[in-house]
Amino acid sequence: MNKPELAITRGRPREFCVDEALAKALRVFWSKGFESASMTDLTEAMGITRPSLYAAFGNKESLFRKALDLYEREKMDYVGKALAKPTAREVAEVLLRGSMENATSCDEPHGCLGVITSVTCGDEAQSIREEVLERGKVAKKALMDRFERAKTEGDLAAHIDIEGLTSFLYAVMQGMSVQAGNGASREDLERLVETSLTMWPSA
């Protein structure tokens, strides 16, 4: 009885590391936003051809979504750490300082990928903008739920407007991203963080 033959994989094997290429694509999107990042920008940064990009990642939109997933896993991990803190003020401080670190890193583009993309996407990239905003809504709801718990625990006063407090925190974080992109120094943003924390409501 003949032994079954092993299936032979057809086509040339990939000659690049998918993870490294995705990390390079993330830097391009982070620097330029979705629409301003051209396919030439992406393939040159990733060191691959267009056919290789399409084969490994799909189209530009699919590549961006994968890059956004990577960004959330690696650059936004401080959000989960913040939500686990025992007090609302500590939650806010970790979020603010994590946002500042991202915005001022010497090794990465300045600003927040979500903010950069949501404010620079035009009509042709509306679906991308909507996805970025939707992901932001999920994170914002998690933060509001955490602050509601703080009220229940007596950590925040009963009269505190949770939605307004969350919006204030988001405005500061987004403002830091925009200011960093416009050249604000780390010292400038640290001062903003400290000022924001002095305004934090006590129980």
Side-chain angles (χ1 to χ4, degrees):
M1 186 174 182
N2 294 331
K3 295 181 179 180
E5 295 182 359
L6 295 176
I8 300 175
T9 303
R10 298 185 181 279
R12 295 177 60 187
R14 288 179 183 148
E15 298 177 350
F16 65 93
C17 174
V18 172
D19 290 341
E20 289 181 5
L22 182 59
K24 292 174 181 177
L26 169 58
R27 288 182 63 87
V28 175
F29 286 127
W30 197 351
S31 299
K32 295 175 174 288
F34 174 76
E35 276 195 315
S36 296
S38 69
M39 290 299 290
T40 299
D41 293 331
L42 291 164
T43 53
E44 287 182 353
M46 298 164 76
I48 62 177
T49 63
R50 289 197 184 199
S52 293
L53 186 154
Y54 291 132
F57 302 104
N59 58 17
K60 182 182 175 183
E61 290 81 0
S62 177
L63 174 61
F64 176 80
R65 290 185 173 93
K66 290 180 172 65
L68 188 57
D69 289 339
L70 177 63
Y71 177 82
E72 291 179 344
R73 286 196 307 273
E74 293 191 351
K75 310 304 179 185
M76 301 294 290
D77 61 329
Y78 65 88
V79 175
K81 296 175 183 176
L83 294 174
K85 289 296 180 180
T87 69
R89 189 183 188 282
E90 288 176 284
V91 171
E93 182 168 6
V94 172
L95 285 174
L96 289 171
R97 295 198 183 282
S99 181
M100 180 188 69
E101 290 294 337
N102 263 3
T104 59
S105 171
C106 295
D107 300 324
E108 303 288 0
H110 290 174
C112 169
L113 176 61
V115 173
I116 291 168
T117 298
S118 64
V119 300
T120 58
C121 278
D123 292 341
E124 293 182 0
Q126 190 62 26
S127 64
I128 289 293
R129 183 175 186 272
E130 288 174 357
E131 178 164 348
V132 169
L133 293 175
E134 190 58 37
R135 292 192 189 203
K137 289 178 183 177
V138 172
K140 190 172 184 178
K141 184 180 185 305
L143 183 57
M144 290 178 64
D145 289 345
R146 176 63 186 84
F147 288 157
E148 287 289 357
R149 195 184 94 200
K151 284 179 73 171
T152 301
E153 295 171 347
D155 181 39
L156 285 174
H159 70 275
I160 295 297
D161 176 1
I162 294 301
E163 186 172 357
L165 185 63
T166 304
S167 294
F168 164 75
L169 196 55
Y170 263 70
V172 175
M173 291 190 293
Q174 291 170 348
M176 284 197 295
S177 295
V178 173
Q179 288 184 38
N182 289 335
S185 68
R186 183 186 180 89
E187 290 71 23
D188 293 332
L189 300 187
E190 282 181 340
R191 190 160 52 246
L192 183 55
V193 169
E194 293 298 334
T195 300
S196 299
L197 291 173
T198 64
M199 300 170 63
W200 193 255
S202 56

